[in-house]
Amino acid sequence: MNRQLQRVDGTRVLVTGGAGFLGSHLCEKLLHAGNEVVCLDNFYTGRKANIAHLMSDPMFTVMEHDITNPVYLQVDEVYNLACPASPVHYQYDPVHTMKTSVLGMINMLGLAKRVKGKILHASTSEVYGDPLVHPQPESYWGHVNPTGIRSCYDEGKRSAETLCFDYHRRHQLDVKVVRIFNTYGPRMHPEDGRVVSNFIVQALKGEPITLYGDGSQTRSFCYADDLVEGFMQLMATPPEFRGPMNLGNPNEFTIRELAEKVLEITGSSSKLIEEPLPADDPRQRRPDITLARETLGWEPRVQLDEGLTRTIAYFDQLLGTGNARVKTPDLTLSKAG
């Protein structure tokens, strides 16, 4: 059946960064829910392969555009995901990273204001910096280095949150702010430098798995499907609820434990090696998701072993290594979640 006949409410949704890892999952789920979706991306880190399976859908439109420049569209909702999100990518051009967070946010807020729509901004757990409070609740203001190599991303996202709330106070704009904790899944870039993709790629290729420091630092890993469902639930809340809201998996693992799980699932014989810890790398990171549970009834459903199995299968197919001891899935996520 033609998707146009399946539309429920005629909502036209803009997803900036829509060809990225998370953006492509969000575009897919929005389409499946009956929305018309405009995917906007400058393809700096986003990939056309992530959205290739959506291109034949008449309700899906792709625009190549950088949000540091204004764009004029008629939409009902904006999901602002545009920004390099891995240290390798956001540190490559830190000035442009900051411009994307600040100028891009101003442009997207201006668009939402013009069309009298609502906007969800994808912020990050990096606003908490190297936290002195654990786990991190939304009320914690953070411990952030404003001049370090990660500052372009950390402070850019903090500034974007400020802009969201100022637009709400000044213009009564319906804003939603979500703070994303470590997320993984199919369509991660194999060279993004994130710990999950690094470990999986190294294991599948039989290369040494690189631990920065002794691997005792902790992270909490949320599967992409769970996260984007949280996005959509947050967007559906009444205007009086704005966040910020933590979204992530509260189960905490050391980086060494993650590496060992990847080795176990892949069956790889890769060895663990240690390298110096990068500057300002957080020692621990775990979300307090009480607000999401109480407001949305949301919490993650896919736990780490299951999510890693799916993600490893994706990378095994992508890289053509044939080394994983897991079943290879369809590269789209429509059947993986």
mmCIF file of all heavy atoms in Angstrom, residues 20-22 24-25 47 50 182-190 192 194 196-197 200 221-227 302 304 306-315 318 329 331-333 336:
data_model
loop_
_atom_site.group_PDB
_atom_site.id
_atom_site.type_symbol
_atom_site.label_atom_id
_atom_site.label_comp_id
_atom_site.label_asym_id
_atom_site.label_seq_id
_atom_site.Cartn_x
_atom_site.Cartn_y
_atom_site.Cartn_z
ATOM 1 N N GLY A 20 22.862 10.707 9.520
ATOM 2 C CA GLY A 20 23.825 10.207 10.487
ATOM 3 C C GLY A 20 23.356 8.914 11.130
ATOM 4 O O GLY A 20 22.287 8.384 10.825
ATOM 5 N N PHE A 21 24.161 8.433 12.055
ATOM 6 C CA PHE A 21 23.858 7.191 12.768
ATOM 7 C C PHE A 21 22.484 7.249 13.422
ATOM 8 O O PHE A 21 21.567 6.497 13.076
ATOM 9 C CB PHE A 21 24.984 6.937 13.777
ATOM 10 C CG PHE A 21 24.639 6.025 14.911
ATOM 11 C CD1 PHE A 21 24.013 4.814 14.690
ATOM 12 C CD2 PHE A 21 24.953 6.371 16.215
ATOM 13 C CE1 PHE A 21 23.703 3.957 15.751
ATOM 14 C CE2 PHE A 21 24.665 5.540 17.270
ATOM 15 C CZ PHE A 21 24.029 4.335 17.040
ATOM 16 N N LEU A 22 22.280 8.173 14.346
ATOM 17 C CA LEU A 22 20.988 8.270 15.031
ATOM 18 C C LEU A 22 19.922 8.883 14.139
ATOM 19 O O LEU A 22 18.761 8.482 14.180
ATOM 20 C CB LEU A 22 21.134 9.085 16.307
ATOM 21 C CG LEU A 22 21.871 8.408 17.451
ATOM 22 C CD1 LEU A 22 22.003 9.354 18.642
ATOM 23 C CD2 LEU A 22 21.152 7.130 17.872
ATOM 24 N N SER A 24 19.392 8.634 10.970
ATOM 25 C CA SER A 24 18.788 7.699 10.026
ATOM 26 C C SER A 24 17.801 6.771 10.720
ATOM 27 O O SER A 24 16.744 6.434 10.171
ATOM 28 C CB SER A 24 19.881 6.893 9.320
ATOM 29 O OG SER A 24 20.617 6.101 10.231
ATOM 30 N N HIS A 25 18.115 6.357 11.941
ATOM 31 C CA HIS A 25 17.166 5.542 12.699
ATOM 32 C C HIS A 25 15.885 6.326 13.000
ATOM 33 O O HIS A 25 14.779 5.791 12.935
ATOM 34 C CB HIS A 25 17.796 5.081 14.011
ATOM 35 C CG HIS A 25 18.867 4.054 13.837
ATOM 36 N ND1 HIS A 25 18.608 2.773 13.427
ATOM 37 C CD2 HIS A 25 20.206 4.129 14.027
ATOM 38 C CE1 HIS A 25 19.740 2.090 13.378
ATOM 39 N NE2 HIS A 25 20.723 2.889 13.731
ATOM 40 N N ARG A 47 26.006 9.621 6.145
ATOM 41 C CA ARG A 47 26.310 8.819 4.956
ATOM 42 C C ARG A 47 25.029 8.487 4.198
ATOM 43 O O ARG A 47 24.026 8.111 4.799
ATOM 44 C CB ARG A 47 27.033 7.529 5.354
ATOM 45 C CG ARG A 47 28.398 7.769 5.992
ATOM 46 C CD ARG A 47 29.104 6.456 6.290
ATOM 47 N NE ARG A 47 28.382 5.686 7.292
ATOM 48 C CZ ARG A 47 28.599 4.393 7.533
ATOM 49 N NH1 ARG A 47 29.471 3.730 6.820
ATOM 50 N NH2 ARG A 47 27.923 3.774 8.476
ATOM 51 N N ASN A 50 23.253 5.222 4.806
ATOM 52 C CA ASN A 50 22.374 5.066 5.973
ATOM 53 C C ASN A 50 20.902 5.255 5.642
ATOM 54 O O ASN A 50 20.032 4.759 6.360
ATOM 55 C CB ASN A 50 22.771 6.063 7.064
ATOM 56 C CG ASN A 50 24.079 5.720 7.743
ATOM 57 O OD1 ASN A 50 24.548 4.595 7.670
ATOM 58 N ND2 ASN A 50 24.672 6.701 8.411
ATOM 59 N N ASN A 182 25.898 7.592 26.029
ATOM 60 C CA ASN A 182 26.517 6.733 25.008
ATOM 61 C C ASN A 182 25.502 5.821 24.339
ATOM 62 O O ASN A 182 24.813 5.043 25.008
ATOM 63 C CB ASN A 182 27.616 5.872 25.635
ATOM 64 C CG ASN A 182 28.816 6.683 26.057
ATOM 65 O OD1 ASN A 182 28.707 7.547 26.921
ATOM 66 N ND2 ASN A 182 29.957 6.418 25.456
ATOM 67 N N THR A 183 25.429 5.909 23.025
ATOM 68 C CA THR A 183 24.475 5.135 22.240
ATOM 69 C C THR A 183 25.217 4.401 21.129
ATOM 70 O O THR A 183 26.200 4.909 20.591
ATOM 71 C CB THR A 183 23.390 6.049 21.652
ATOM 72 O OG1 THR A 183 22.770 6.767 22.722
ATOM 73 C CG2 THR A 183 22.336 5.257 20.913
ATOM 74 N N TYR A 184 24.744 3.219 20.783
ATOM 75 C CA TYR A 184 25.424 2.395 19.788
ATOM 76 C C TYR A 184 24.389 1.630 18.991
ATOM 77 O O TYR A 184 23.201 1.586 19.350
ATOM 78 C CB TYR A 184 26.384 1.414 20.483
ATOM 79 C CG TYR A 184 25.657 0.349 21.269
ATOM 80 C CD1 TYR A 184 25.496 -0.933 20.753
ATOM 81 C CD2 TYR A 184 25.082 0.623 22.506
ATOM 82 C CE1 TYR A 184 24.805 -1.914 21.460
ATOM 83 C CE2 TYR A 184 24.392 -0.345 23.220
ATOM 84 C CZ TYR A 184 24.256 -1.605 22.694
ATOM 85 O OH TYR A 184 23.559 -2.554 23.381
ATOM 86 N N GLY A 185 24.831 1.003 17.902
ATOM 87 C CA GLY A 185 23.935 0.189 17.096
ATOM 88 C C GLY A 185 24.365 0.188 15.643
ATOM 89 O O GLY A 185 25.369 0.812 15.269
ATOM 90 N N PRO A 186 23.634 -0.534 14.782
ATOM 91 C CA PRO A 186 23.907 -0.509 13.357
ATOM 92 C C PRO A 186 23.921 0.916 12.809
ATOM 93 O O PRO A 186 23.222 1.796 13.311
ATOM 94 C CB PRO A 186 22.739 -1.309 12.764
ATOM 95 C CG PRO A 186 22.336 -2.230 13.866
ATOM 96 C CD PRO A 186 22.527 -1.437 15.127
ATOM 97 N N ARG A 187 24.749 1.137 11.798
ATOM 98 C CA ARG A 187 24.955 2.411 11.106
ATOM 99 C C ARG A 187 25.928 3.346 11.806
ATOM 100 O O ARG A 187 26.108 4.474 11.374
ATOM 101 C CB ARG A 187 23.633 3.135 10.808
ATOM 102 C CG ARG A 187 22.677 2.293 9.990
ATOM 103 C CD ARG A 187 21.506 3.126 9.447
ATOM 104 N NE ARG A 187 20.435 2.214 9.114
ATOM 105 C CZ ARG A 187 19.176 2.354 9.471
ATOM 106 N NH1 ARG A 187 18.801 3.424 10.158
ATOM 107 N NH2 ARG A 187 18.278 1.475 9.147
ATOM 108 N N MET A 188 26.533 2.901 12.904
ATOM 109 C CA MET A 188 27.654 3.675 13.424
ATOM 110 C C MET A 188 28.732 3.719 12.347
ATOM 111 O O MET A 188 28.922 2.768 11.584
ATOM 112 C CB MET A 188 28.243 3.033 14.683
ATOM 113 C CG MET A 188 27.306 3.002 15.869
ATOM 114 S SD MET A 188 28.115 2.323 17.351
ATOM 115 C CE MET A 188 29.075 3.744 17.876
ATOM 116 N N HIS A 189 29.469 4.835 12.284
ATOM 117 C CA HIS A 189 30.556 4.949 11.320
ATOM 118 C C HIS A 189 31.729 4.084 11.801
ATOM 119 O O HIS A 189 32.126 4.182 12.968
ATOM 120 C CB HIS A 189 30.993 6.410 11.206
ATOM 121 C CG HIS A 189 31.817 6.695 9.989
ATOM 122 N ND1 HIS A 189 33.093 6.177 9.819
ATOM 123 C CD2 HIS A 189 31.570 7.441 8.882
ATOM 124 C CE1 HIS A 189 33.579 6.591 8.670
ATOM 125 N NE2 HIS A 189 32.685 7.347 8.079
ATOM 126 N N PRO A 190 32.287 3.250 10.943
ATOM 127 C CA PRO A 190 33.364 2.361 11.395
ATOM 128 C C PRO A 190 34.636 3.093 11.809
ATOM 129 O O PRO A 190 35.487 2.508 12.479
ATOM 130 C CB PRO A 190 33.615 1.465 10.178
ATOM 131 C CG PRO A 190 33.084 2.222 9.011
ATOM 132 C CD PRO A 190 31.919 3.016 9.526
ATOM 133 N N ASP A 192 34.556 6.236 13.446
ATOM 134 C CA ASP A 192 34.163 7.395 14.246
ATOM 135 C C ASP A 192 34.947 7.527 15.547
ATOM 136 O O ASP A 192 34.822 8.521 16.256
ATOM 137 C CB ASP A 192 32.652 7.387 14.531
ATOM 138 C CG ASP A 192 32.192 6.214 15.388
ATOM 139 O OD1 ASP A 192 33.049 5.476 15.910
ATOM 140 O OD2 ASP A 192 30.964 6.049 15.534
ATOM 141 N N ARG A 194 34.572 5.990 18.312
ATOM 142 C CA ARG A 194 33.836 5.690 19.541
ATOM 143 C C ARG A 194 34.202 4.296 20.030
ATOM 144 O O ARG A 194 34.583 3.418 19.255
ATOM 145 C CB ARG A 194 32.328 5.775 19.298
ATOM 146 C CG ARG A 194 31.873 7.140 18.826
ATOM 147 C CD ARG A 194 30.368 7.209 18.796
ATOM 148 N NE ARG A 194 29.901 8.224 17.867
ATOM 149 C CZ ARG A 194 28.679 8.712 17.852
ATOM 150 N NH1 ARG A 194 27.781 8.273 18.713
ATOM 151 N NH2 ARG A 194 28.333 9.632 16.980
ATOM 152 N N VAL A 196 32.589 1.639 21.197
ATOM 153 C CA VAL A 196 31.904 0.431 20.726
ATOM 154 C C VAL A 196 32.346 0.085 19.312
ATOM 155 O O VAL A 196 32.729 -1.060 19.027
ATOM 156 C CB VAL A 196 30.372 0.602 20.796
ATOM 157 C CG1 VAL A 196 29.673 -0.585 20.132
ATOM 158 C CG2 VAL A 196 29.915 0.741 22.239
ATOM 159 N N SER A 197 32.307 1.046 18.406
ATOM 160 C CA SER A 197 32.707 0.769 17.018
ATOM 161 C C SER A 197 34.190 0.423 16.936
ATOM 162 O O SER A 197 34.586 -0.473 16.179
ATOM 163 C CB SER A 197 32.370 1.951 16.115
ATOM 164 O OG SER A 197 32.865 3.163 16.650
ATOM 165 N N ILE A 200 34.638 -3.239 18.145
ATOM 166 C CA ILE A 200 34.061 -4.220 17.225
ATOM 167 C C ILE A 200 34.903 -4.342 15.961
ATOM 168 O O ILE A 200 35.218 -5.446 15.509
ATOM 169 C CB ILE A 200 32.608 -3.847 16.880
ATOM 170 C CG1 ILE A 200 31.712 -4.015 18.109
ATOM 171 C CG2 ILE A 200 32.092 -4.695 15.716
ATOM 172 C CD1 ILE A 200 30.289 -3.534 17.908
ATOM 173 N N PHE A 221 25.690 2.117 28.061
ATOM 174 C CA PHE A 221 25.489 2.003 26.623
ATOM 175 C C PHE A 221 24.021 1.746 26.286
ATOM 176 O O PHE A 221 23.434 0.744 26.706
ATOM 177 C CB PHE A 221 26.365 0.882 26.064
ATOM 178 C CG PHE A 221 27.824 1.089 26.334
ATOM 179 C CD1 PHE A 221 28.442 0.417 27.376
ATOM 180 C CD2 PHE A 221 28.569 1.970 25.565
ATOM 181 C CE1 PHE A 221 29.788 0.614 27.638
ATOM 182 C CE2 PHE A 221 29.915 2.175 25.816
ATOM 183 C CZ PHE A 221 30.531 1.497 26.862
ATOM 184 N N CYS A 222 23.432 2.651 25.493
ATOM 185 C CA CYS A 222 22.017 2.567 25.110
ATOM 186 C C CYS A 222 21.912 2.195 23.633
ATOM 187 O O CYS A 222 22.605 2.773 22.787
ATOM 188 C CB CYS A 222 21.336 3.915 25.371
ATOM 189 S SG CYS A 222 19.547 3.910 25.096
ATOM 190 N N TYR A 223 21.047 1.242 23.322
ATOM 191 C CA TYR A 223 20.859 0.824 21.938
ATOM 192 C C TYR A 223 20.041 1.875 21.184
ATOM 193 O O TYR A 223 19.116 2.492 21.725
ATOM 194 C CB TYR A 223 20.157 -0.529 21.906
ATOM 195 C CG TYR A 223 20.167 -1.185 20.558
ATOM 196 C CD1 TYR A 223 21.359 -1.595 19.974
ATOM 197 C CD2 TYR A 223 18.984 -1.396 19.864
ATOM 198 C CE1 TYR A 223 21.367 -2.205 18.730
ATOM 199 C CE2 TYR A 223 18.985 -2.011 18.615
ATOM 200 C CZ TYR A 223 20.179 -2.411 18.052
ATOM 201 O OH TYR A 223 20.188 -3.014 16.818
ATOM 202 N N ALA A 224 20.368 2.076 19.917
ATOM 203 C CA ALA A 224 19.786 3.165 19.127
ATOM 204 C C ALA A 224 18.260 3.127 19.085
ATOM 205 O O ALA A 224 17.601 4.170 19.185
ATOM 206 C CB ALA A 224 20.350 3.120 17.707
ATOM 207 N N ASP A 225 17.674 1.942 18.925
ATOM 208 C CA ASP A 225 16.213 1.826 18.865
ATOM 209 C C ASP A 225 15.548 2.425 20.105
ATOM 210 O O ASP A 225 14.554 3.151 20.008
ATOM 211 C CB ASP A 225 15.813 0.359 18.750
ATOM 212 C CG ASP A 225 15.337 0.002 17.362
ATOM 213 O OD1 ASP A 225 15.600 0.769 16.436
ATOM 214 O OD2 ASP A 225 14.704 -1.061 17.209
ATOM 215 N N ASP A 226 16.104 2.091 21.268
ATOM 216 C CA ASP A 226 15.538 2.603 22.513
ATOM 217 C C ASP A 226 15.617 4.120 22.562
ATOM 218 O O ASP A 226 14.676 4.802 22.981
ATOM 219 C CB ASP A 226 16.280 2.012 23.717
ATOM 220 C CG ASP A 226 15.960 0.542 23.954
ATOM 221 O OD1 ASP A 226 14.833 0.124 23.628
ATOM 222 O OD2 ASP A 226 16.832 -0.185 24.455
ATOM 223 N N LEU A 227 16.740 4.652 22.135
ATOM 224 C CA LEU A 227 16.940 6.096 22.226
ATOM 225 C C LEU A 227 15.957 6.866 21.352
ATOM 226 O O LEU A 227 15.327 7.826 21.809
ATOM 227 C CB LEU A 227 18.372 6.464 21.846
ATOM 228 C CG LEU A 227 18.707 7.921 22.146
ATOM 229 C CD1 LEU A 227 19.015 8.119 23.618
ATOM 230 C CD2 LEU A 227 19.872 8.404 21.300
ATOM 231 N N VAL A 302 16.574 -2.950 25.265
ATOM 232 C CA VAL A 302 17.645 -3.767 24.682
ATOM 233 C C VAL A 302 18.886 -3.634 25.549
ATOM 234 O O VAL A 302 19.446 -2.543 25.683
ATOM 235 C CB VAL A 302 17.954 -3.325 23.237
ATOM 236 C CG1 VAL A 302 19.083 -4.177 22.657
ATOM 237 C CG2 VAL A 302 16.710 -3.431 22.366
ATOM 238 N N LEU A 304 22.893 -4.856 26.851
ATOM 239 C CA LEU A 304 24.161 -4.768 26.130
ATOM 240 C C LEU A 304 24.484 -6.016 25.313
ATOM 241 O O LEU A 304 24.917 -5.903 24.161
ATOM 242 C CB LEU A 304 25.295 -4.456 27.108
ATOM 243 C CG LEU A 304 26.654 -4.157 26.479
ATOM 244 C CD1 LEU A 304 26.579 -2.971 25.528
ATOM 245 C CD2 LEU A 304 27.694 -3.887 27.569
ATOM 246 N N GLU A 306 22.551 -8.261 23.902
ATOM 247 C CA GLU A 306 21.702 -8.329 22.704
ATOM 248 C C GLU A 306 22.068 -7.233 21.713
ATOM 249 O O GLU A 306 22.195 -7.481 20.501
ATOM 250 C CB GLU A 306 20.231 -8.200 23.096
ATOM 251 C CG GLU A 306 19.277 -8.245 21.923
ATOM 252 C CD GLU A 306 17.831 -8.002 22.315
ATOM 253 O OE1 GLU A 306 17.539 -7.863 23.521
ATOM 254 O OE2 GLU A 306 16.980 -7.954 21.398
ATOM 255 N N GLY A 307 22.249 -6.009 22.204
ATOM 256 C CA GLY A 307 22.588 -4.903 21.321
ATOM 257 C C GLY A 307 23.939 -5.079 20.651
ATOM 258 O O GLY A 307 24.103 -4.783 19.457
ATOM 259 N N LEU A 308 24.923 -5.576 21.392
ATOM 260 C CA LEU A 308 26.236 -5.823 20.800
ATOM 261 C C LEU A 308 26.160 -6.904 19.732
ATOM 262 O O LEU A 308 26.805 -6.807 18.677
ATOM 263 C CB LEU A 308 27.235 -6.236 21.877
ATOM 264 C CG LEU A 308 27.828 -5.134 22.751
ATOM 265 C CD1 LEU A 308 28.769 -5.729 23.789
ATOM 266 C CD2 LEU A 308 28.568 -4.082 21.918
ATOM 267 N N THR A 309 25.365 -7.936 19.976
ATOM 268 C CA THR A 309 25.224 -9.009 18.987
ATOM 269 C C THR A 309 24.684 -8.454 17.674
ATOM 270 O O THR A 309 25.193 -8.770 16.586
ATOM 271 C CB THR A 309 24.298 -10.117 19.528
ATOM 272 O OG1 THR A 309 24.874 -10.667 20.714
ATOM 273 C CG2 THR A 309 24.096 -11.216 18.496
ATOM 274 N N ARG A 310 23.671 -7.602 17.748
ATOM 275 C CA ARG A 310 23.111 -6.985 16.536
ATOM 276 C C ARG A 310 24.134 -6.081 15.857
ATOM 277 O O ARG A 310 24.266 -6.071 14.622
ATOM 278 C CB ARG A 310 21.873 -6.162 16.885
ATOM 279 C CG ARG A 310 20.711 -6.942 17.458
ATOM 280 C CD ARG A 310 19.571 -5.987 17.775
ATOM 281 N NE ARG A 310 18.458 -6.653 18.417
ATOM 282 C CZ ARG A 310 17.342 -6.025 18.783
ATOM 283 N NH1 ARG A 310 17.206 -4.728 18.573
ATOM 284 N NH2 ARG A 310 16.357 -6.701 19.369
ATOM 285 N N THR A 311 24.850 -5.307 16.652
ATOM 286 C CA THR A 311 25.790 -4.334 16.100
ATOM 287 C C THR A 311 26.995 -5.030 15.484
ATOM 288 O O THR A 311 27.486 -4.625 14.417
ATOM 289 C CB THR A 311 26.238 -3.356 17.203
ATOM 290 O OG1 THR A 311 25.081 -2.806 17.842
ATOM 291 C CG2 THR A 311 27.065 -2.227 16.625
ATOM 292 N N ILE A 312 27.474 -6.077 16.114
ATOM 293 C CA ILE A 312 28.593 -6.849 15.571
ATOM 294 C C ILE A 312 28.199 -7.480 14.237
ATOM 295 O O ILE A 312 28.974 -7.484 13.276
ATOM 296 C CB ILE A 312 29.051 -7.907 16.590
ATOM 297 C CG1 ILE A 312 29.778 -7.218 17.750
ATOM 298 C CG2 ILE A 312 29.939 -8.955 15.932
ATOM 299 C CD1 ILE A 312 29.979 -8.102 18.963
ATOM 300 N N ALA A 313 26.989 -8.013 14.159
ATOM 301 C CA ALA A 313 26.517 -8.603 12.899
ATOM 302 C C ALA A 313 26.482 -7.565 11.790
ATOM 303 O O ALA A 313 26.840 -7.838 10.637
ATOM 304 C CB ALA A 313 25.139 -9.228 13.100
ATOM 305 N N TYR A 314 26.051 -6.350 12.129
ATOM 306 C CA TYR A 314 26.019 -5.262 11.137
ATOM 307 C C TYR A 314 27.428 -4.964 10.626
ATOM 308 O O TYR A 314 27.669 -4.889 9.414
ATOM 309 C CB TYR A 314 25.411 -4.006 11.766
ATOM 310 C CG TYR A 314 25.639 -2.757 10.948
ATOM 311 C CD1 TYR A 314 24.841 -2.462 9.844
ATOM 312 C CD2 TYR A 314 26.670 -1.868 11.257
ATOM 313 C CE1 TYR A 314 25.059 -1.329 9.079
ATOM 314 C CE2 TYR A 314 26.899 -0.734 10.505
ATOM 315 C CZ TYR A 314 26.089 -0.466 9.414
ATOM 316 O OH TYR A 314 26.320 0.652 8.656
ATOM 317 N N PHE A 315 28.380 -4.800 11.540
ATOM 318 C CA PHE A 315 29.744 -4.478 11.128
ATOM 319 C C PHE A 315 30.393 -5.629 10.369
ATOM 320 O O PHE A 315 31.187 -5.410 9.445
ATOM 321 C CB PHE A 315 30.591 -4.096 12.341
ATOM 322 C CG PHE A 315 30.476 -2.647 12.727
ATOM 323 C CD1 PHE A 315 29.797 -2.275 13.874
ATOM 324 C CD2 PHE A 315 31.026 -1.650 11.932
ATOM 325 C CE1 PHE A 315 29.677 -0.942 14.235
ATOM 326 C CE2 PHE A 315 30.919 -0.318 12.274
ATOM 327 C CZ PHE A 315 30.246 0.047 13.424
ATOM 328 N N LEU A 318 29.073 -5.173 6.964
ATOM 329 C CA LEU A 318 29.594 -3.945 6.368
ATOM 330 C C LEU A 318 31.049 -4.118 5.931
ATOM 331 O O LEU A 318 31.430 -3.709 4.824
ATOM 332 C CB LEU A 318 29.487 -2.794 7.368
ATOM 333 C CG LEU A 318 29.976 -1.425 6.896
ATOM 334 C CD1 LEU A 318 29.026 -0.850 5.856
ATOM 335 C CD2 LEU A 318 30.105 -0.468 8.081
ATOM 336 N N PRO A 329 22.305 -9.591 10.033
ATOM 337 C CA PRO A 329 20.958 -9.067 9.853
ATOM 338 C C PRO A 329 20.828 -8.284 8.563
ATOM 339 O O PRO A 329 21.804 -8.025 7.870
ATOM 340 C CB PRO A 329 20.840 -8.103 11.040
ATOM 341 C CG PRO A 329 22.226 -7.535 11.150
ATOM 342 C CD PRO A 329 23.156 -8.659 10.768
ATOM 343 N N LEU A 331 20.658 -4.871 6.765
ATOM 344 C CA LEU A 331 21.354 -3.643 7.163
ATOM 345 C C LEU A 331 20.392 -2.548 7.579
ATOM 346 O O LEU A 331 20.796 -1.585 8.217
ATOM 347 C CB LEU A 331 22.239 -3.148 6.028
ATOM 348 C CG LEU A 331 23.521 -3.964 5.796
ATOM 349 C CD1 LEU A 331 24.352 -3.316 4.702
ATOM 350 C CD2 LEU A 331 24.326 -4.109 7.062
ATOM 351 N N THR A 332 19.127 -2.617 7.182
ATOM 352 C CA THR A 332 18.159 -1.668 7.696
ATOM 353 C C THR A 332 17.833 -2.074 9.129
ATOM 354 O O THR A 332 18.047 -3.207 9.532
ATOM 355 C CB THR A 332 16.877 -1.633 6.863
ATOM 356 O OG1 THR A 332 16.178 -2.859 7.072
ATOM 357 C CG2 THR A 332 17.182 -1.458 5.392
ATOM 358 N N LEU A 333 17.281 -1.127 9.894
ATOM 359 C CA LEU A 333 16.974 -1.449 11.283
ATOM 360 C C LEU A 333 15.512 -1.794 11.469
ATOM 361 O O LEU A 333 15.073 -2.093 12.559
ATOM 362 C CB LEU A 333 17.345 -0.262 12.184
ATOM 363 C CG LEU A 333 17.374 -0.553 13.685
ATOM 364 C CD1 LEU A 333 18.390 -1.621 14.028
ATOM 365 C CD2 LEU A 333 17.623 0.701 14.484
ATOM 366 N N ALA A 336 15.432 -4.983 12.994
ATOM 367 C CA ALA A 336 16.414 -5.258 14.037
ATOM 368 C C ALA A 336 15.957 -4.767 15.386
ATOM 369 O O ALA A 336 16.591 -5.024 16.383
ATOM 370 C CB ALA A 336 17.752 -4.621 13.680
#
